[in-house]
Amino acid sequence: MQKQALVCGAGGFIGGHLVKWLKAEGFWVRGVDLKHNEFSKSAADDFVIGDLRDQEVVQKVLDRPFDEVYQLAADMGGAGYIFTGEHDADVMHNSATINLNVAYYGQKAGIKKIFYSSSACIYPEYNQIDPHDPKCSEDSAYPAAPDSEYGWEKLFSERMYMSFHRNYGLDVRIARFHNIFGPEGAWIGGREKAPAAICRKVAEAKDGGEIEIWGDGKQTRSFLYIDECLDGIRRLMDAKSFRGPVNIGSDEMVTINGLAEMAMEIAGKKLSIKHIEGPLGVRGRNSDNRLINKELGWAPSWPLRKGIEFTYHWIQEQLQKT
Ligand code: NAD
């Protein structure tokens, strides 16, 4: 029989790509989101516009014992959304309500397996002070000290899903994503993350001009291209008994200045960087891939530059359309 999947947050960046991927794998797919995807028509067999904070909506979309449920819906964005403090109450309330509803009604509906997308933002700030040596191994999550309410909510929801596993036998799989990027992600409007924001700024600038970067640009991060992320998710879902939480990210660490230089090279432009004040997050972060390598035999196969090239050209196209 054809397998059935539900993707919560299917109108978003990762959800949109995941739906396409599940369709290509032969699944019947229902997507649910507050909105349609801005960049392409959903490949889902059934797309429900609905608010997952609403218990009636959640019961309606979970009307069968799905083989796989992917819970990606969250009130989120890049540093400009998460770290200003202005959205803290919404981020916590909206995302926690979604997760409480999906875990409870998912278990009641008898779903066979559920994937939950947690984040690198759960890792303690005290381990990410040195930009050259951040510590993000899975077992370093506690004593907990995330640097944002977004991270605290993710940690709470990880624990909530694991409780449903322990008490009700829900087959839960949890990944901690580290900065996933690629085409069809937010690139303008305040929710975009560093790779998209930098590609946009470089694409907009005239050769010889200037772009603005938040902070001194010496903060470090790693970024994972969307296709590689989907591969990691698949392996985690197919694992026999390993359920995580596990990092899904790249361990190719780069400074934000380095990322900007990379985008300039791809664009063939020489630009100067003006460092301005802005919301930043931790000083350094990198994915520790030892656990995923050991348990799932997974490691990213693309260099960062290849993914940035694809993303830069896609953003350039979007700009030409405006
Ligand atoms: P996204 O913002 O593009 O997608 C999230 C989707 O959830 C959006 O389409 C949004 O409309 C939907 N949503 C929000 N509130 C909803 C509600 N009440 N009811 C129904 N839908 C609702 O984000 P994304 O980058 O695709 O991320 C997907 C998941 O992965 C999120 O949970 C995010 O926290 C997590 N994550 C992403 C990254 C990353 O780098 N992209 C990193 C760490 C974790």
Side-chain angles (χ1 to χ4, degrees):
M1 221 178 83
Q2 190 180 23
K3 281 193 166 182
Q4 300 192 325
L6 173 69
V7 178
C8 303
F13 165 52
I14 301 174
H17 285 278
L18 181 63
V19 169
K20 274 186 218 159
W21 194 90
L22 287 166
K23 280 307 300 167
E25 287 292 297
F27 278 77
W28 182 91
V29 182
R30 170 177 290 159
V32 54
D33 203 298
L34 288 171
K35 60 165 180 69
H36 286 286
N37 191 287
E38 292 97 315
F39 307 113
S40 61
K41 193 177 170 311
S42 177
D45 298 279
D46 181 25
F47 195 100
V48 178
I49 292 290
D51 188 336
L52 293 163
R53 291 170 302 181
D54 181 337
Q55 296 186 2
E56 273 182 34
V57 170
V58 179
Q59 287 179 75
K60 208 176 103 199
V61 295
L62 279 161
D63 63 354
R64 63 194 75 183
F66 281 96
D67 297 289
E68 297 185 0
V69 173
Y70 294 84
Q71 198 327 67
L72 303 165
D75 192 354
M76 66 97 67
Y81 191 75
I82 298 295
F83 296 120
T84 58
E86 285 163 26
H87 308 106
D88 286 352
D90 285 348
V91 164
M92 292 205 97
H93 177 264
N94 294 341
S95 298
T97 307
I98 294 169
N99 285 312
L100 288 164
N101 286 343
V102 172
Y104 181 74
Y105 289 107
Q107 180 267 327
K108 275 191 109 175
I111 59 173
K112 311 247 174 19
K113 212 180 263 188
I114 180 164
F115 173 87
Y116 173 57
S117 51
S118 182
S119 166
C121 289
I122 64 104
Y123 287 114
E125 191 169 13
Y126 57 76
N127 279 334
Q128 301 173 84
I129 309 286
D130 178 354
H132 304 294
D133 189 26
K135 185 173 178 197
C136 293
S137 56
E138 286 80 354
D139 60 2
S140 70
Y142 297 95
D147 69 341
S148 64
E149 303 304 352
Y150 169 76
W152 278 106
E153 189 283 326
K154 289 286 186 196
L155 207 51
F156 161 76
S157 291
E158 280 190 5
R159 300 188 69 95
M160 201 246 323
Y161 283 107
M162 288 310 281
S163 305
F164 272 76
H165 165 65
R166 288 195 303 277
N167 296 164
Y168 296 113
L170 192 64
D171 190 349
V172 173
R173 309 291 160 115
I174 300 175
R176 294 173 180 159
F177 292 154
H178 289 242
N179 290 318
I180 314 304
F181 76 100
E184 303 196 358
W187 62 281
I188 195 165
R191 286 185 189 245
E192 65 278 19
K193 299 190 167 177
I198 287 175
C199 286
R200 188 197 68 232
K201 288 176 189 181
V202 169
E204 279 171 340
K206 288 215 169 67
D207 197 11
E210 182 180 80
I211 57 164
E212 290 182 343
I213 299 265
W214 289 342
D216 63 8
K218 292 180 183 153
Q219 63 273 35
T220 54
R221 292 291 184 277
S222 69
F223 302 95
L224 184 73
Y225 192 67
I226 180 68
D227 292 6
E228 308 236 57
C229 171
L230 297 179
D231 185 32
I233 296 175
R234 185 72 259 151
R235 286 189 194 218
L236 179 57
M237 286 300 264
D238 288 346
K240 250 195 174 158
S241 56
F242 179 68
R243 57 189 73 260
V246 68
N247 293 327
I248 294 188
S250 160
D251 49 9
E252 183 183 338
M253 197 164 73
V254 63
T255 63
I256 298 300
N257 285 336
L259 184 66
E261 301 287 345
M262 193 181 279
M264 289 178 213
E265 257 178 52
I266 291 166
K269 292 182 186 178
K270 281 213 168 8
L271 306 170
S272 54
I273 299 177
K274 182 177 174 196
H275 294 107
I276 58 164
E277 270 195 35
L280 291 175
V282 293
R283 197 67 189 136
R285 176 170 289 155
N286 194 9
S287 184
D288 183 326
N289 287 348
R290 285 173 297 175
L291 184 65
I292 195 162
N293 216 316
K294 176 171 159 263
E295 294 290 344
L296 306 177
W298 183 88
S301 52
W302 280 25
L304 173 64
R305 190 187 161 106
K306 192 165 160 187
I308 295 292
E309 269 174 25
F310 277 105
T311 309
Y312 180 82
H313 293 304
W314 180 78
I315 288 177
Q316 212 180 17
E317 271 171 35
Q318 304 310 303
L319 270 171
Q320 279 157 7
K321 284 186 199 161
T322 57

PDB file of all heavy atoms in Angstrom, residues 85-98:
ATOM      1  N   GLY A  85      14.540  39.954  20.605  1.00  0.00           N
ATOM      2  CA  GLY A  85      13.708  39.909  21.815  1.00  0.00           C
ATOM      3  C   GLY A  85      12.268  40.335  21.552  1.00  0.00           C
ATOM      4  O   GLY A  85      11.366  40.081  22.352  1.00  0.00           O
ATOM      5  N   GLU A  86      12.034  40.931  20.402  1.00  0.00           N
ATOM      6  CA  GLU A  86      10.692  41.465  20.124  1.00  0.00           C
ATOM      7  C   GLU A  86       9.664  40.391  19.856  1.00  0.00           C
ATOM      8  O   GLU A  86       8.458  40.627  19.950  1.00  0.00           O
ATOM      9  CB  GLU A  86      10.742  42.378  18.889  1.00  0.00           C
ATOM     10  CG  GLU A  86      11.375  43.709  19.163  1.00  0.00           C
ATOM     11  CD  GLU A  86      11.781  44.405  17.874  1.00  0.00           C
ATOM     12  OE1 GLU A  86      11.161  44.132  16.832  1.00  0.00           O
ATOM     13  OE2 GLU A  86      12.743  45.204  17.933  1.00  0.00           O
ATOM     14  N   HIS A  87      10.113  39.189  19.486  1.00  0.00           N
ATOM     15  CA  HIS A  87       9.158  38.136  19.121  1.00  0.00           C
ATOM     16  C   HIS A  87       9.144  36.988  20.123  1.00  0.00           C
ATOM     17  O   HIS A  87       8.578  35.933  19.839  1.00  0.00           O
ATOM     18  CB  HIS A  87       9.488  37.613  17.714  1.00  0.00           C
ATOM     19  CG  HIS A  87       9.616  38.684  16.684  1.00  0.00           C
ATOM     20  ND1 HIS A  87      10.831  39.085  16.165  1.00  0.00           N
ATOM     21  CD2 HIS A  87       8.692  39.485  16.123  1.00  0.00           C
ATOM     22  CE1 HIS A  87      10.643  40.071  15.309  1.00  0.00           C
ATOM     23  NE2 HIS A  87       9.352  40.335  15.267  1.00  0.00           N
ATOM     24  N   ASP A  88       9.793  37.180  21.277  1.00  0.00           N
ATOM     25  CA  ASP A  88       9.976  36.066  22.215  1.00  0.00           C
ATOM     26  C   ASP A  88       8.667  35.383  22.626  1.00  0.00           C
ATOM     27  O   ASP A  88       8.565  34.156  22.637  1.00  0.00           O
ATOM     28  CB  ASP A  88      10.699  36.547  23.492  1.00  0.00           C
ATOM     29  CG  ASP A  88      12.182  36.792  23.226  1.00  0.00           C
ATOM     30  OD1 ASP A  88      12.662  36.447  22.126  1.00  0.00           O
ATOM     31  OD2 ASP A  88      12.851  37.333  24.126  1.00  0.00           O
ATOM     32  N   ALA A  89       7.680  36.195  22.991  1.00  0.00           N
ATOM     33  CA  ALA A  89       6.420  35.607  23.475  1.00  0.00           C
ATOM     34  C   ALA A  89       5.749  34.807  22.363  1.00  0.00           C
ATOM     35  O   ALA A  89       5.284  33.681  22.584  1.00  0.00           O
ATOM     36  CB  ALA A  89       5.483  36.709  23.981  1.00  0.00           C
ATOM     37  N   ASP A  90       5.728  35.362  21.167  1.00  0.00           N
ATOM     38  CA  ASP A  90       5.098  34.658  20.036  1.00  0.00           C
ATOM     39  C   ASP A  90       5.856  33.381  19.708  1.00  0.00           C
ATOM     40  O   ASP A  90       5.254  32.321  19.491  1.00  0.00           O
ATOM     41  CB  ASP A  90       5.085  35.545  18.783  1.00  0.00           C
ATOM     42  CG  ASP A  90       4.024  36.626  18.880  1.00  0.00           C
ATOM     43  OD1 ASP A  90       3.177  36.531  19.793  1.00  0.00           O
ATOM     44  OD2 ASP A  90       4.063  37.557  18.054  1.00  0.00           O
ATOM     45  N   VAL A  91       7.188  33.499  19.651  1.00  0.00           N
ATOM     46  CA  VAL A  91       8.009  32.329  19.301  1.00  0.00           C
ATOM     47  C   VAL A  91       7.719  31.196  20.286  1.00  0.00           C
ATOM     48  O   VAL A  91       7.468  30.052  19.887  1.00  0.00           O
ATOM     49  CB  VAL A  91       9.511  32.699  19.307  1.00  0.00           C
ATOM     50  CG1 VAL A  91      10.388  31.461  19.351  1.00  0.00           C
ATOM     51  CG2 VAL A  91       9.857  33.538  18.084  1.00  0.00           C
ATOM     52  N   MET A  92       7.732  31.516  21.573  1.00  0.00           N
ATOM     53  CA  MET A  92       7.549  30.456  22.573  1.00  0.00           C
ATOM     54  C   MET A  92       6.125  29.921  22.549  1.00  0.00           C
ATOM     55  O   MET A  92       5.888  28.721  22.526  1.00  0.00           O
ATOM     56  CB  MET A  92       7.876  30.975  23.971  1.00  0.00           C
ATOM     57  CG  MET A  92       9.347  31.272  24.132  1.00  0.00           C
ATOM     58  SD  MET A  92       9.869  31.188  25.826  1.00  0.00           S
ATOM     59  CE  MET A  92      10.537  29.571  25.949  1.00  0.00           C
ATOM     60  N   HIS A  93       5.164  30.836  22.578  1.00  0.00           N
ATOM     61  CA  HIS A  93       3.768  30.404  22.661  1.00  0.00           C
ATOM     62  C   HIS A  93       3.329  29.666  21.404  1.00  0.00           C
ATOM     63  O   HIS A  93       2.735  28.589  21.477  1.00  0.00           O
ATOM     64  CB  HIS A  93       2.850  31.599  22.938  1.00  0.00           C
ATOM     65  CG  HIS A  93       1.407  31.222  22.957  1.00  0.00           C
ATOM     66  ND1 HIS A  93       0.595  31.353  21.867  1.00  0.00           N
ATOM     67  CD2 HIS A  93       0.658  30.660  23.929  1.00  0.00           C
ATOM     68  CE1 HIS A  93      -0.612  30.894  22.168  1.00  0.00           C
ATOM     69  NE2 HIS A  93      -0.595  30.474  23.418  1.00  0.00           N
ATOM     70  N   ASN A  94       3.635  30.237  20.254  1.00  0.00           N
ATOM     71  CA  ASN A  94       3.148  29.636  19.008  1.00  0.00           C
ATOM     72  C   ASN A  94       3.772  28.265  18.756  1.00  0.00           C
ATOM     73  O   ASN A  94       3.072  27.287  18.465  1.00  0.00           O
ATOM     74  CB  ASN A  94       3.431  30.553  17.812  1.00  0.00           C
ATOM     75  CG  ASN A  94       2.637  31.848  17.902  1.00  0.00           C
ATOM     76  OD1 ASN A  94       1.646  31.922  18.630  1.00  0.00           O
ATOM     77  ND2 ASN A  94       3.065  32.856  17.180  1.00  0.00           N
ATOM     78  N   SER A  95       5.098  28.191  18.896  1.00  0.00           N
ATOM     79  CA  SER A  95       5.755  26.921  18.571  1.00  0.00           C
ATOM     80  C   SER A  95       5.434  25.850  19.611  1.00  0.00           C
ATOM     81  O   SER A  95       5.195  24.686  19.265  1.00  0.00           O
ATOM     82  CB  SER A  95       7.266  27.127  18.436  1.00  0.00           C
ATOM     83  OG  SER A  95       7.519  28.027  17.372  1.00  0.00           O
ATOM     84  N   ALA A  96       5.410  26.221  20.888  1.00  0.00           N
ATOM     85  CA  ALA A  96       5.092  25.221  21.915  1.00  0.00           C
ATOM     86  C   ALA A  96       3.657  24.709  21.730  1.00  0.00           C
ATOM     87  O   ALA A  96       3.406  23.502  21.852  1.00  0.00           O
ATOM     88  CB  ALA A  96       5.274  25.809  23.315  1.00  0.00           C
ATOM     89  N   THR A  97       2.728  25.595  21.411  1.00  0.00           N
ATOM     90  CA  THR A  97       1.333  25.157  21.230  1.00  0.00           C
ATOM     91  C   THR A  97       1.230  24.177  20.059  1.00  0.00           C
ATOM     92  O   THR A  97       0.549  23.145  20.155  1.00  0.00           O
ATOM     93  CB  THR A  97       0.414  26.381  20.994  1.00  0.00           C
ATOM     94  OG1 THR A  97       0.633  27.310  22.040  1.00  0.00           O
ATOM     95  CG2 THR A  97      -1.048  25.974  20.976  1.00  0.00           C
ATOM     96  N   ILE A  98       1.923  24.499  18.969  1.00  0.00           N
ATOM     97  CA  ILE A  98       1.917  23.592  17.803  1.00  0.00           C
ATOM     98  C   ILE A  98       2.428  22.211  18.240  1.00  0.00           C
ATOM     99  O   ILE A  98       1.812  21.175  17.965  1.00  0.00           O
ATOM    100  CB  ILE A  98       2.824  24.142  16.675  1.00  0.00           C
ATOM    101  CG1 ILE A  98       2.274  25.440  16.102  1.00  0.00           C
ATOM    102  CG2 ILE A  98       3.000  23.091  15.564  1.00  0.00           C
ATOM    103  CD1 ILE A  98       3.259  26.179  15.174  1.00  0.00           C
TER     104      ILE A  98
END
